[in-house]
């Protein structure tokens, strides 16, 4: 770009920072991941996660057709300007596909900038606010005793916070209960499976699960639960109230949050902490929730909420209203997202907790990384950048495998929120 000299866009010269190429790597080491790799003239490259579970190829097309051609020749150091170009310049703003594509670019550019500055991403963001990032794991079972066994197993593994999801009597399937004990992969078929749902059965059952868990565990371990968008506000209020004796760390996705006002009704009835936001893509999806303190934790992520640049804006707004971060971290967010998220989590002042569903060993081989689990925390590494790379040869051995998320229907056949 005309008139640029070293220092205007960060480490290295503008020439070094010039974007010379970018490519999308799609792979499926057990599940699908979409990764954007940006190359600069200096040879320094950066990675961003662009995985949108069940809609992966939409983001691939968006990146390849509408984003990458606009990146070539730009200064990789101008992260904000590129973000604004991709957001405002798109005209059709917001939404999961657009914001996941922008997120991948943004994450890769932050990775490049930190590498060129020779520092771990957390230092570029402002330095460590904590040594380790408190994480929660996913324990689930087909019934109360099965779930209790899994919660105890996660406690043995060193987790200090554990999400508990159980099968519900009378229902063939329930959200969050996996066939494979460690790795819950809901996108299990090329076209959506149909799962049946009965909210009343769930509402009458769940307090019994947490009563048993607290009776066995006591109150030291933080317990979480994901309602996964299934309840009406009034039903969520009833559940939150019934769970108060069990001191949950949070009740997540209590009701669909397109209508942010719905949380006011839940808030009036219960002190159970509320978390929401894994499906949000910009600050506009959660502004009223945060400003009216209708929630306690915001679940937005690096990969689905516009990258580090936008997630930082959401966290700053949340900080003003004493809302803490609690980023989504399911297995359908790649290790690239987890790596960047951990640097963000280690810096962000109003940190709450980080979801950590653990990836399979094969996924970790495709995405070598320097973060590690220790005594209930994840510790971000000291490698310059976000600390995650990709083994492209190994990735190429695991091609895309079309999968979609399930749908849910009530007993009368009504299509419901999965
Ligand atoms: O909180 C969670 O981890 C869940 O809501 C996710 O497992 C979610 O169902 C998947 O990420 C959807 O792809
Ligand atoms: Mg969730």
């Amino acid at each position: 770009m005309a008139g640029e000299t070293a220092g205007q866009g960060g480490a290295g010269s503008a020439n070094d920072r010039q974007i010379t190429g970018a490519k999308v790597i799609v792979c499926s080491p057990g599940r699908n991941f979409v990764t954007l790799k940006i190359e600069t003239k200096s040879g320094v490259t950066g990675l961003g996660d662009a995985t949108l579970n069940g809609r992966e190829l939409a983001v691939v097309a968006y990146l390849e057709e509408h984003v990458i051609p606009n990146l070539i020749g730009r200064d990789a150091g101008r992260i904000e300007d590129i973000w604004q170009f991709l957001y405002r310049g798109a005209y059709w703003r917001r939404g999961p596909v657009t914001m996941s594509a922008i997120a991948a670019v943004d994450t890769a550019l932050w990775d490049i900038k930190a590498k060129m500055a020779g520092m771990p991403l957390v230092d570029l963001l402002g330095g460590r606010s904590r040594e380790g990032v408190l994480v929660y794991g996913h324990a689930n079972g087909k019934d109360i005793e099965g779930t209790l066994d899994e919660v105890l197993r996660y406690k043995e593994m060193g987790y200090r916070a554990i999400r508990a999801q159980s099968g519900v009597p009378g229902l063939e399937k329930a959200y969050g209960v996996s066939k494979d004990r460690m790795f819950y992969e809901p996108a299990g078929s090329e076209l959506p499976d149909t799962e049946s749902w009965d909210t009343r059965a769930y509402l009458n059952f769940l307090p019994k699960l947490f009563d048993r868990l607290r009776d066995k565990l006591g109150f030291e371990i933080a317990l979480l639960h994901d309602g996964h968008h299934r309840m009406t506000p009034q039903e969520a209020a009833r559940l939150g109230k019934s769970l108060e004796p069990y001191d949950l760390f949070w009740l997540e996705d209590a009701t669909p949050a397109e209508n942010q006002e719905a949380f006011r009704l839940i808030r009036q009835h219960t002190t159970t902490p509320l978390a929401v936001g894994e499906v949000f893509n910009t600050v506009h999806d959660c502004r009223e929730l945060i400003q009216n303190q209708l929630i306690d934790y915001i679940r937005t992520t690096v990969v689905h909420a516009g990258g580090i640049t936008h997630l930082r804006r959401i966290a700053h707004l949340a900080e003003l209203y004493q809302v803490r971060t609690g980023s989504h971290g399911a297995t359908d967010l790649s290790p690239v997202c987890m790596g960047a998220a951990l640097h963000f989590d280690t810096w962000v002042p109003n940190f709450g907790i980080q979801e950590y569903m653990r990836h399979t060993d094969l996924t970790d081989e495709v995405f070598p990384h320097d973060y590690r689990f220790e005594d209930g925390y994840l510790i971000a590494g000291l490698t310059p950048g976000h600390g995650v790379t990709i083994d492209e040869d190994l990735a190429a051995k695991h091609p895309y495998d079309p999968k979609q998320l399930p749908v849910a229907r009530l007993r009368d056949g009504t299509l419901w929120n999965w």
Side-chain angles (χ1 to χ4, degrees), residues 126-146:
R128 290 174 181 272
S129 302
R130 54 198 62 80
E131 288 318 306
V133 166
L134 177 68
V135 294
Y136 72 88
H138 278 208
N140 65 81
K142 62 181 183 352
D143 53 25
I144 288 179
E145 293 310 310

Side-chain angles (χ1 to χ4, degrees), residues 31 52-54 136 138 163 175-176 184 186-187 226 228-229 250 252-253 278 299 304 328-333 355 357 405 418:
R31 69 146 0 267
L52 184 62
N53 199 5
Y136 72 88
H138 278 208
R163 189 187 87 165
Y175 162 71
Y184 172 54
D226 190 346
H228 219 261
H229 325 278
W250 78 32
E252 175 191 347
D253 281 337
E278 68 181 52
R299 301 256 299 134
H304 297 134
H328 184 208
T331 47
D332 47 282
L333 287 66
E355 180 176 359
M357 264 181 84
L405 286 166
W418 174 74

Side-chain angles (χ1 to χ4, degrees), residues 6 43 60 77-78 107 123 137 152 154 180 201 203 217 237 251 253 262 285-286 293 321 345 356 379 390 398 400 416:
V60 173
R78 296 198 167 199
T107 306
D123 289 346
L152 291 171
Y154 269 79
D180 175 332
L203 294 176
L217 284 159
L251 172 62
D253 281 337
D285 294 331
C286 49
Q293 293 178 289
Y321 296 91
D345 293 340
Y356 176 47
I379 316 290
I390 185 168
H398 301 279
Y400 173 66
W416 197 242

Side-chain angles (χ1 to χ4, degrees), residues 66-146:
H66 309 300
V67 172
I68 290 174
N70 282 298
L71 293 179
I72 309 304
R74 286 183 185 272
D75 177 347
R78 296 198 167 199
I79 298 175
E80 187 66 53
D81 184 61
I82 290 173
W83 196 96
Q84 296 296 334
F85 177 88
L86 294 176
Y87 179 76
R88 297 173 190 275
Y91 188 75
W92 311 105
R93 299 179 185 185
R94 303 167 66 182
V97 173
T98 301
M99 298 315 292
S100 298
I102 293 176
V105 174
D106 188 76
T107 306
L109 295 179
W110 277 103
D111 192 22
I112 289 167
K113 191 178 266 281
K115 285 175 178 173
M116 295 184 89
M119 60 175 73
L121 177 54
V122 60
D123 289 346
L124 203 57
L125 294 172
R128 290 174 181 272
S129 302
R130 54 198 62 80
E131 288 318 306
V133 166
L134 177 68
V135 294
Y136 72 88
H138 278 208
N140 65 81
K142 62 181 183 352
D143 53 25
I144 288 179
E145 293 310 310

Side-chain angles (χ1 to χ4, degrees), residues 91-312:
Y91 188 75
W92 311 105
R93 299 179 185 185
R94 303 167 66 182
V97 173
T98 301
M99 298 315 292
S100 298
I102 293 176
V105 174
D106 188 76
T107 306
L109 295 179
W110 277 103
D111 192 22
I112 289 167
K113 191 178 266 281
K115 285 175 178 173
M116 295 184 89
M119 60 175 73
L121 177 54
V122 60
D123 289 346
L124 203 57
L125 294 172
R128 290 174 181 272
S129 302
R130 54 198 62 80
E131 288 318 306
V133 166
L134 177 68
V135 294
Y136 72 88
H138 278 208
N140 65 81
K142 62 181 183 352
D143 53 25
I144 288 179
E145 293 310 310
T147 306
L148 172 61
D149 289 347
E150 278 298 284
V151 169
L152 291 171
R153 192 166 71 87
Y154 269 79
K155 183 170 183 279
E156 276 310 301
M157 286 193 279
Y159 283 84
R160 297 163 182 263
I162 302 166
R163 189 187 87 165
Q165 306 288 139
S166 171
V168 175
L171 284 176
E172 189 192 334
K173 284 190 179 178
Y175 162 71
V177 181
S178 61
K179 295 184 280 294
D180 175 332
R181 289 201 312 175
M182 273 299 278
F183 307 103
Y184 172 54
E185 284 299 354
S189 53
E190 190 162 352
L191 293 176
D193 281 339
T194 300
E195 299 181 2
S196 67
W197 182 250
D198 179 331
T199 303
R200 281 190 69 244
Y202 166 73
L203 294 176
N204 290 324
F205 164 74
L206 207 69
K208 295 172 189 154
L209 170 69
F210 284 95
D211 187 64
R212 175 71 173 130
L213 293 178
R214 281 303 186 207
D215 179 55
K216 186 79 179 170
L217 284 159
F219 284 77
E220 191 191 333
I221 286 276
L223 291 177
L224 303 87
H225 182 73
D226 190 346
H228 219 261
H229 325 278
R230 306 284 169 98
M231 294 171 275
T232 64
Q234 188 67 12
E235 290 164 344
R238 171 186 161 187
L239 181 64
K241 212 169 171 57
S242 69
L243 294 177
E244 283 176 11
Y246 310 114
D247 183 28
L248 262 63
F249 184 93
W250 78 32
L251 172 62
E252 175 191 347
D253 281 337
T255 194
E258 294 97 318
N259 172 16
Q260 297 179 45
E261 187 60 24
F263 277 74
R264 191 181 300 282
L265 190 148
I266 305 169
R267 209 54 160 178
Q268 283 162 355
H269 291 282
T270 181
T271 56
T272 293
L274 300 173
V276 72
E278 68 181 52
V279 298
F280 292 171
N281 316 118
T282 72
V283 65
H284 304 295
D285 294 331
C286 49
R287 191 180 56 245
E288 292 161 58
L289 287 166
I290 291 171
Q291 287 175 327
N292 296 301
Q293 293 178 289
L294 300 181
I295 58 174
D296 302 281
Y297 297 92
I298 183 65
R299 301 256 299 134
T300 40
T301 64
V302 168
V303 59
H304 297 134
I308 298 279
T309 297
H310 195 63
L311 190 62
R312 211 166 43 160

